[in-house]
Amino acid sequence: MPHHNTKENANMSFSEEVTHRHGGETLTACYQCGTCASSCPVARLDARFNPREIIKLSLLGEKQEILTGDAIWLCTSCFNCQERCPQDVEIADVIYALRNIALEAGNSPNIYADFASALIADGRIVAISKFVEKKREEYGLPPLKAVHVEALNTILSATGFTKPEKKEASQ
Amino acid sequence: MEQPKVGVFLSDCGKQLSDILDFDALTNFVKNVPNVALIARGSEFWRGNGLKAIVDAIKGGKINRVVVAESLPKLSEVNIAQAVSDAGLNSYLVEVIDLKDHCAWPHRSAPAEATEKAKAMLLSAIERAKLLEPIEKLEFPTLKSALIIGGGIAGMQTAVDLADLGFEVNLIEKAPFLGGLAARAGRFFPTDDCAICIQSPSSDVKTITHTSRKCVYRSGFSEIPNLSILTNAEVVSVEGVPGNYKVTIEKKPRYVDADKCVVCGKCAEVCPVETPDEYNANLNNRKAIYLNVPTVHPQIYAIDEDACKFQECAKCVAVCPTNAIDLGQQTEQVTLNVGSIVVATGFKEFDSSNIKEYHYDEYPDVITNLELARMIDGFGPTGGKIIRPSDGKPAKKIVFVQCAGSRDRRYNPYCSSICCMISLKNASLVKEANPDAEISICYIDIRTTGREHEYYYERARDMGIKFVKGRPTEIYNDEEKGKLIVDVEDALLKRFLDLEADLVVLAAAMVPAEGTAELAEILGLDLEADGFFKEYNAKLRPTETKKRGIYLCGGATFPKDAPTASLHAHSAAMKAAKFLTSGKIVKDQRTAIINEDYCGDCEFCPVMCPYGAITLEPTTEDHFVAKVNEILCEGCGVCVGTCPLNAIELRHSRPNQMSAQMNALLSVNGTSKPLVLAFCCQECGHTAVDSSGMAKMEYPANVRIIKVPCAGIVRVNQILEAYKAGAQAVMIVGCKTDGCHYEVGSAKAEKKMDMAKILLKEYGIEPERLEMFKMVFIEGAQFAEAAKMMTERAAKLGTLKLMGDS
Ligand SMILES: Cc1cc2nc3c(=O)[nH]c(=O)nc-3n(C[C@H](O)[C@H](O)[C@H](O)COP(=O)(O)OP(=O)(O)OC[C@H]3O[C@@H](n4cnc5c(N)ncnc54)[C@H](O)[C@@H]3O)c2cc1C
Ligand code: SF4
Ligand code: SF4
Ligand code: SF4
Ligand code: SF4
């Protein structure tokens, strides 16, 4: 079942594939000013990642490089870039769209499979640790409520959520 | 009225048409139409002997209506109208049709069907001709005077042009001094000389050569005898009509008598008030009585009412040697009667404090190009030194940030078009005077499109100015270092640079002048989405507005450099002169008429008229009635198409004329296909039909064309009438929305057709039988396609059954 608005069209260019997807609509407005890159805390620290470059590669149709590389998974979703882009490119959302495409193509870091397993099993991506519970208590926050795992799984299966395959260690 | 005697002149266009159409059949057909007094056949009737035949028939009293079937009627109509009028017949008693492009050529594969259509077209022309009425010429006197709003270089140059041509010119400026931005910008590219320099008026007795170009203060500008200048003045209302505008102006007091001030400056010396000098971008203080700079114009001191302490102080009054200061002056209302108005209100820098990341309002060392220009100017607050406003120390490291607020969908999506050049100029001027300065320009694209402009870019590189391709994301204040840090990615190197700066110069976007929207409201003019004044037709009629006699120039329509603003100013002056010079407006009375007995004062037509030509006037009872102002009415017929009570008719396109045409066009089919009627606006829509024929594109002969002034005139009841008369489908063909010759006619028609479709359903008519198309001349192929499509649609739907049909 399609759970996104991708136009199934073999002739579609990669940039069209992105713009037809939820979150990717604004891709083509980019004029490569670099505001996003200089706003991005990750790009400063990790030479593998530069949001401006990701946008450019998407526009140029460098699908393999984007889908199989690490870059798109490094974004922290801080939205600094998106706040400042003068062309209203929703950069962080474009990166989500790219991640979804990569995921469907079977390219995702193993940790996402772990997240998915945890979500399906416990209703949370990260299990609540004793540490977190103690911290919450210290801050005067109420304890986290239990998740209705069965209901969540109904939603997950209705929306077509599947667990990404884990890759071999070499990958 | 005299019985109509119609002369029908059938041209075969040098056998082009008779090879396809059966001309004998056409002549026989026409012969039997009542009121046809004469039929002539020839090879052309728009010139030479053919035209003479028409003239002779009129002069001989044989005919009093003329129908001409010619090719290319767009060209021939003018000749024919002139000759007919010279022969003593009103030129509106003529109907010209195009049997070539509208019939023979597009239907040449089906000659028999084409001949039948030609009969219908001839019948339609004859029936219309019988109902035509003479249209008279209207004349309205115009005053030979103009008002120019805005005393920047554009307004001043328009004023010089119009004054030189002998018109009475009034120039009003809301500031106390003239010059606008040019007075503040110091030096101008592309000549590198002073910004504030204008063409000399010919009234300057020393203007002996045509090379004259002078500093405003010694140009003789204020001595031009037929130019009166009002400073501190703004328009508060405009009444009247083109050629006779009554303008009310509010003139704030200067408190200094222009005839007495000798510019000694003693007043400013004693004035105790210090107030930020907005002229110098608040980089210094000035007194409450002041001149902007020594070279300003007019050379008269002015008092800033917001700063002056008036009677509490009055020190200046005591010291003035000529008693020029009068603290009791009051605001005056001045009324001017002028024939024409030129808007030259310019533009201003965008408020950069909107761009939070650049901290313009927080860090004093973040400035704009205009502020930098004041520092560069030797008359400016720093005497030409480039300093850090925060501590007054020299600024060594300077970073320019381009597109600050431009090309940014959050603020102004457009390119302000001059700021690349302004930064290149300013950076070079700074570097020239301070060779040690380290200057970087952060850009997205460098735009240097005019003559000599690329040279500025070249020179800047030669001088050692650095270019960084990247738009800074943030400007920080590094307190330890005592520097600003410009955080930018050099996108070419994919490297992050933290550029240190003493001074950051924002190439701020250029936006409409303060009060532009209010002035547009007062003048009844439209604005573009970006907030600048809208030109009547951006391609062909720049400087004009939708209102006759009101023109625009300079930065009021969009940011421009001085050469373009000057060009624009001279163009506006020419347009105004053309309008004013004859002392009258002459136009054909092809205007709307209101049937006052039917008018229900619903207020639709005054709102819908694109030219503000209709007002509701009170009648004796508690009732209003719509009145058309004939100077303003452009004859589009949008009001006709709007009035729910059918109380409006347009001369020369009356409903009875249109009905007669429709019935005639649909009376003969001659094809096996369903009849389709296309209402085509006389502008783009009708020319699209021409071009399909000219290019010999084929579409079926069952498609019949009726020409209307504007798509907006077509009424829903006329569409129903067309179905009744036999049309199986109806097309409305108008101009493109933005290209509509009557501003909004096409758009209004489109909306109306959407509503009409709902109504058709109520009447049991399939809404697909009606479609609106928007085309331009070069889209003949689209017309032919649309004609085929509507034919096929109607064929598929089968014969239309109207209510009441058995
Ligand atoms: C920093 C800077 C540097 C520039 N450098 C260059 C350059 O080097 N070379 C170049 O070619 N161009 C340059 N320009 C552009 C140039 O200044 C403009 O092209 C030119 O000034 C436009 O003239 P204008 O008369 O249309 O408008 P303005 O100069 O803006 O004049 C408009 C006038 O109208 C007045 N006004 C506004 N509203 C009203 C109203 N409602 N009633 C009465 N009066 C009103 C204003 O007070 C003003 O005096 C520069 C512009 C800036 C901002
Ligand atoms: S900030 Fe926007 S326009 Fe600029 S490079 Fe990034 S995505 Fe493109
Ligand atoms: S949202 Fe992602 S790409 Fe954008 S600035 Fe944050 S980490 Fe960088
Ligand atoms: S002229 Fe240059 S600085 Fe100004 S908006 Fe256009 S590209 Fe940006
Ligand atoms: S014909 Fe056009 S311009 Fe004239 S009054 Fe009607 S809507 Fe206005």
Side-chain angles (χ1 to χ4, degrees):
Chain A
M1 190 186 74
H3 51 275
H4 52 73
N5 59 355
T6 306
K7 196 168 83 185
E8 303 297 340
N9 179 348
N11 293 326
M12 200 153 59
S13 69
F14 183 60
S15 67
E16 277 176 307
E17 202 180 324
V18 179
T19 53
H20 279 87
R21 193 173 273 262
H22 183 63
E25 299 88 344
T26 54
L27 173 72
T28 51
C30 172
Y31 58 16
Q32 289 290 298
C33 68
T35 306
C36 51
S38 51
S39 313
C40 175
V42 181
R44 296 258 164 177
L45 300 174
D46 192 330
R48 287 174 298 171
F49 182 69
N50 179 313
R52 180 186 53 75
E53 189 182 36
I54 288 177
I55 300 285
K56 186 73 183 178
L57 290 170
S58 306
L59 286 166
L60 293 179
E62 296 295 341
K63 185 170 178 170
Q64 278 319 304
E65 187 175 343
I66 291 174
L67 298 191
T68 59
D70 294 332
I72 53 172
W73 305 101
L74 294 173
C75 166
T76 62
S77 307
C78 70
F79 288 77
N80 264 357
C81 54
Q82 196 151 322
E83 275 298 307
R84 292 169 185 209
C85 170
Q87 289 300 310
D88 289 346
V89 177
E90 296 172 344
I91 302 135
D93 292 325
V94 170
I95 292 174
Y96 274 117
L98 292 169
R99 285 176 178 176
N100 279 325
I101 298 174
L103 204 88
E104 281 160 30
N107 295 310
S108 62
N110 284 343
I111 189 149
Y112 281 82
D114 295 339
F115 286 159
S117 306
L119 186 67
I120 291 165
D122 311 327
R124 289 187 194 281
I125 288 172
V126 181
I128 305 167
S129 62
K130 285 262 168 333
F131 175 76
V132 169
E133 282 178 348
K134 228 176 113 199
K135 277 282 162 211
R136 290 185 69 90
E137 218 183 296
E138 268 176 44
Y139 292 136
L141 293 168
L144 285 165
K145 281 185 206 151
V147 178
H148 195 326
V149 180
E150 208 177 311
L152 182 71
N153 270 300
T154 312
I155 296 171
L156 292 178
S157 70
T159 53
F161 182 88
T162 47
K163 196 177 106 181
E165 290 300 317
K166 267 202 181 188
K167 279 174 275 179
E168 295 305 310
S170 68
Q171 266 192 308
Chain B
M1 201 163 44
E2 208 187 347
Q3 271 295 310
K5 294 178 283 181
V6 186
V8 180
F9 299 86
L10 250 178
S11 154
D12 63 13
C13 304
K15 295 235 159 44
Q16 285 185 83
L17 302 192
S18 49
D19 281 350
I20 299 165
L21 305 176
D22 180 345
F23 261 55
D24 291 335
L26 294 184
T27 332
N28 284 334
F29 173 80
V30 170
K31 221 184 268 167
N32 295 322
V33 179
N35 296 82
V36 170
L38 174 84
I39 308 171
R41 270 165 66 169
S43 67
E44 56 179 20
F45 285 100
W46 65 282
R47 61 180 176 188
N49 284 337
L51 192 53
K52 192 168 171 294
I54 299 178
V55 169
D56 290 346
I58 296 168
K59 283 190 176 158
K62 283 197 208 126
I63 60 171
N64 54 16
R65 294 286 191 285
V66 180
V67 167
V68 187
E70 256 295 357
S71 65
L72 284 181
K74 301 277 162 342
L75 303 181
S76 49
E77 246 172 317
V78 181
N79 270 13
I80 296 168
Q82 188 59 50
V84 162
S85 154
D86 291 347
L89 189 67
N90 186 283
S91 62
Y92 280 88
L93 300 177
V94 178
E95 181 68 7
V96 181
I97 56 169
D98 184 348
L99 283 186
K100 183 177 123 257
D101 298 328
H102 288 200
C103 185
W105 281 18
H107 314 312
R108 66 195 178 286
S109 333
E113 294 184 6
T115 301
E116 293 307 304
K117 174 166 172 179
K119 285 182 190 168
M121 287 172 69
L122 283 163
L123 183 63
S124 158
I126 296 164
E127 294 304 332
R128 174 173 164 79
K130 286 188 209 169
L131 296 169
L132 288 176
E133 308 151 313
I135 301 281
E136 302 308 328
K137 289 237 178 292
L138 299 173
E139 274 195 23
F140 306 94
T142 55
L143 297 169
K144 292 205 170 193
S145 56
L147 168 71
I148 295 162
I149 308 173
I153 48 171
M156 287 195 287
Q157 303 210 75
T158 307
V160 169
D161 282 345
L162 287 173
D164 277 356
L165 288 167
F167 298 103
E168 285 301 319
V169 183
N170 302 277
L171 174 73
I172 67 161
E173 165 58 53
K174 76 171 168 196
F177 302 101
L178 298 173
L181 289 169
R184 304 167 74 187
R187 279 203 262 171
F188 262 2
F189 68 81
T191 44
D192 271 346
D193 59 2
C194 319
I196 190 69
C197 163
I198 60 162
Q199 54 168 343
S200 289
S202 54
S203 58
D204 178 353
V205 287
K206 293 209 220 82
T207 305
I208 45 170
T209 67
H210 92 135
T211 54
S212 258
R213 202 179 72 213
K214 284 189 174 171
C215 300
V216 179
Y217 75 94
R218 54 153 67 178
S219 66
F221 185 71
S222 53
E223 310 312 321
I224 302 174
N226 50 338
L227 169 66
S228 82
I229 302 168
L230 287 179
T231 50
N232 277 335
E234 278 187 80
V235 174
V236 290
S237 73
V238 175
E239 290 163 51
V241 289
N244 280 285
Y245 289 112
K246 184 178 157 209
V247 186
T248 309
I249 290 160
E250 195 175 274
K251 183 176 165 27
K252 292 231 181 81
R254 190 180 196 91
Y255 304 103
V256 178
D257 187 338
D259 295 331
K260 291 188 186 159
C261 175
V262 290
V263 212
C264 65
K266 292 206 167 99
C267 49
E269 277 167 29
V270 299
C271 175
V273 177
E274 293 267 336
T275 183
D277 185 355
E278 74 295 325
Y279 178 83
N280 281 333
N282 303 329
L283 292 168
N284 63 316
N285 284 341
R286 61 152 166 74
K287 297 299 179 67
I289 186 160
Y290 69 108
L291 280 187
N292 276 344
V293 281
T295 51
V296 287
H297 198 69
Q299 287 274 304
I300 307 160
Y301 271 76
I303 286 180
D304 173 352
E305 5 175 62
D306 297 329
C308 176
K309 297 203 165 90
F310 290 99
Q311 298 309 340
E312 223 178 273
C313 164
K315 290 204 166 91
C316 53
V317 178
V319 83
C320 178
T322 61
N323 287 328
I325 300 166
D326 173 4
L327 295 178
Q329 273 183 8
Q330 297 292 322
T331 298
E332 289 171 58
Q333 293 249 324
V334 181
T335 306
L336 293 173
N337 294 301
V338 294
S340 178
I341 299 173
V342 181
V343 180
T345 48
F347 54 91
K348 61 167 189 178
E349 277 188 340
F350 173 65
D351 177 4
S352 297
S353 58
N354 286 300
I355 316 167
K356 295 275 176 274
E357 309 89 272
Y358 292 167
H359 305 277
Y360 171 72
D361 46 359
E362 207 177 318
Y363 304 155
D365 298 338
V366 178
I367 64 169
T368 67
N369 258 322
L370 189 58
E371 289 161 352
L372 178 63
R374 295 312 307 139
M375 280 199 217
I376 295 173
D377 188 346
F379 282 126
T382 58
K385 290 207 178 62
I386 310 304
I387 58 151
R388 299 162 32 121
S390 60
D391 55 12
K393 289 193 187 134
K396 194 165 167 252
K397 297 186 171 184
I398 302 170
V399 177
F400 285 80
V401 176
Q402 296 306 104
C403 305
S406 298
R407 306 177 65 198
D408 191 323
R409 297 187 192 201
R410 297 168 301 170
Y411 315 112
N412 307 292
Y414 53 87
C415 165
S416 296
S417 83
I418 55 173
C419 17
C420 276
M421 280 304 296
I422 295 172
S423 292
L424 290 172
K425 173 194 70 173
N426 281 349
S428 308
L429 289 171
V430 171
K431 185 78 179 168
E432 199 175 60
N434 312 274
D436 291 347
E438 293 169 30
I439 303 179
S440 306
I441 298 182
C442 301
Y443 68 97
I444 308 173
D445 301 282
I446 290 284
R447 294 184 169 169
T448 55
T449 54
R451 157 157 300 143
E452 297 290 324
H453 289 191
E454 186 65 11
Y455 165 70
Y456 278 76
Y457 189 12
E458 223 176 280
R459 185 178 65 178
R461 297 196 306 270
D462 281 351
M463 292 174 103
I465 292 167
K466 297 196 187 98
F467 287 85
V468 176
K469 179 168 164 53
R471 181 183 172 281
T473 184
E474 179 105 26
I475 298 166
Y476 299 99
N477 187 15
D478 186 331
E479 280 172 25
E480 254 166 56
K481 282 192 186 145
K483 300 265 187 218
L484 295 171
I485 308 292
V486 179
D487 180 351
V488 61
E489 182 205 21
D490 186 318
L492 299 176
L493 293 176
K494 225 182 109 184
R495 203 173 285 171
F496 299 105
L497 310 178
D498 289 326
L499 300 173
E500 278 186 13
D502 292 308
L503 195 62
V504 175
V505 183
L506 304 178
M510 305 296 169
V511 297
E514 211 65 58
T516 295
E518 292 77 3
L519 185 61
E521 179 79 36
I522 291 171
L523 294 169
L525 298 181
D526 294 335
L527 298 177
E528 294 280 5
D530 54 28
F532 287 97
F533 282 100
K534 183 177 159 69
E535 291 176 285
Y536 191 52
N537 181 299
K539 178 178 53 157
L540 292 175
R541 298 172 74 174
T543 77
E544 289 182 61
T545 67
K546 70 175 186 185
K547 292 206 153 177
R548 277 178 201 244
I550 303 189
Y551 306 95
L552 309 167
C553 71
T557 66
F558 199 66
K560 352 181 125 48
D561 59 14
T564 319
S566 299
L567 206 68
H568 218 217
H570 299 313
S571 165
M574 202 281 285
K575 294 281 178 175
K578 197 168 128 181
F579 174 74
L580 294 173
T581 201
S582 69
K584 61 188 178 196
I585 297 173
V586 181
K587 64 187 280 195
D588 294 340
Q589 195 181 19
R590 228 169 36 179
T591 49
I593 323 166
I594 312 266
N595 184 332
E596 295 187 3
D597 296 337
Y598 292 180
C599 173
D601 70 12
C602 68
E603 295 185 36
F604 281 7
C605 59
V607 176
M608 295 295 232
C609 172
Y611 303 97
I614 305 183
T615 41
L616 286 180
E617 307 277 332
T619 55
T620 41
E621 307 107 66
D622 182 25
H623 182 70
F624 288 80
V625 81
K627 298 259 189 212
V628 175
N629 186 325
E630 296 209 303
I631 305 190
L632 298 176
C633 174
E634 294 290 340
C636 60
V638 168
C639 54
V640 178
T642 299
C643 178
L645 298 172
N646 293 348
I648 317 180
E649 294 194 3
L650 192 67
R651 292 184 176 87
H652 207 56
S653 300
R654 300 230 191 218
N656 67 336
Q657 295 162 349
M658 285 164 71
S659 299
Q661 282 175 277
M662 275 195 263
N663 283 314
L665 285 168
L666 300 169
S667 65
V668 191
N669 188 339
T671 83
S672 54
K673 300 186 189 79
L675 283 166
V676 176
L677 187 69
F679 290 90
C680 297
C681 83
Q682 66 188 7
E683 310 292 348
C684 296
H686 207 242
T687 62
V689 182
D690 290 353
S691 79
S692 66
M694 287 157 117
K696 299 196 175 177
M697 290 159 184
E698 295 208 49
Y699 57 88
N702 55 297
V703 178
R704 306 289 154 88
I705 315 293
I706 176 166
K707 182 164 81 173
V708 291
C710 168
I713 196 177
V714 181
R715 293 204 297 231
V716 178
N717 69 309
Q718 284 172 313
I719 295 166
L720 293 173
E721 210 181 312
Y723 293 127
K724 237 184 208 149
Q728 302 294 307
V730 171
M731 300 166 65
I732 312 288
V733 188
C735 303
K736 301 271 185 199
T737 307
D738 290 335
C740 177
H741 287 63
Y742 297 106
E743 307 284 310
V744 294
S746 196
K748 299 243 144 109
E750 197 175 22
K751 268 208 188 126
K752 201 191 317 166
M753 293 316 140
D754 287 344
M755 271 150 50
K757 284 185 173 192
I758 299 169
L759 215 79
L760 289 186
K761 246 193 202 152
E762 301 279 314
Y763 284 107
I765 300 172
E766 298 86 344
E768 302 83 51
R769 292 189 192 266
L770 173 65
E771 212 59 68
M772 164 103 193
F773 301 89
K774 290 179 284 180
M775 291 175 190
V776 290
F777 168 71
I778 48 171
E779 292 179 332
Q782 276 89 324
F783 177 78
E785 273 317 303
K788 278 184 233 165
M789 193 245 314
M790 290 305 283
T791 302
E792 277 159 28
R793 229 194 241 185
K796 231 186 235 153
L797 289 170
T799 308
L800 174 62
K801 285 214 172 55
L802 291 170
M803 274 181 185
D805 284 1
S806 50

